[in-house]
Amino acid sequence: MYNAYKAVATYQDVAAILTAMEDPALSTISISPNPTSGQLIIKTEGQHIQRISIYNLSGMKLFTTKSTTLDISHLPEGVYFVQITTETGSVTKKIIKK
């Protein structure tokens, strides 16, 4: 049977896209320690945090907080994304839970 439809998939480097759109003021935000076994500390260098959200690799939001000290000891080992939203925009950082 002849199929006249063709599917073409295009992939781009997601990290390059996120970095290209990142506000330079947000580049001062850091998360430590990374990797971690439980506690994370977010340093903002003068940025006022409105929201911090943790996502798993599937994109499911696990929880949201305003606290700059996070306890993720209850999460299984793996890779997670931390989205930090400030008054100037948002930045997403990758963390590793041991």
Side-chain angles (χ1 to χ4, degrees), residues 16-59:
I17 293 169
L18 290 173
T19 303
M21 293 187 294
E22 185 176 305
D23 183 333
L26 298 174
S27 65
T28 61
I29 295 174
S30 65
I31 301 175
S32 62
N34 191 13
T36 185
S37 57
Q39 188 169 358
L40 288 171
I41 299 169
I42 299 173
K43 297 178 185 167
T44 62
E45 300 294 324
Q47 296 284 325
H48 176 72
I49 291 181
Q50 295 178 338
R51 179 179 58 250
I52 299 170
S53 300
I54 307 288
Y55 295 87
N56 65 14
L57 283 177
S58 299

Side-chain angles (χ1 to χ4, degrees), residues 3 5 11 17-19 22 27 35 37 46 49 55 57 60 64 67 79 81-83 85-86 88 93-94:
N3 185 351
Y5 299 100
Y11 297 91
I17 293 169
L18 290 173
T19 303
E22 185 176 305
S27 65
S37 57
I49 291 181
Y55 295 87
L57 283 177
M60 180 191 316
T64 299
S67 175
V79 176
F81 293 99
V82 179
Q83 183 180 50
T85 303
T86 71
T88 61
K93 306 241 182 206
K94 180 174 75 171

Side-chain angles (χ1 to χ4, degrees), residues 52-78:
I52 299 170
S53 300
I54 307 288
Y55 295 87
N56 65 14
L57 283 177
S58 299
M60 180 191 316
K61 186 187 294 184
L62 303 176
F63 65 90
T64 299
T65 184
K66 288 185 177 184
S67 175
T68 57
T69 303
L70 307 170
D71 179 14
I72 62 167
S73 59
H74 63 283
L75 296 177
E77 292 183 357

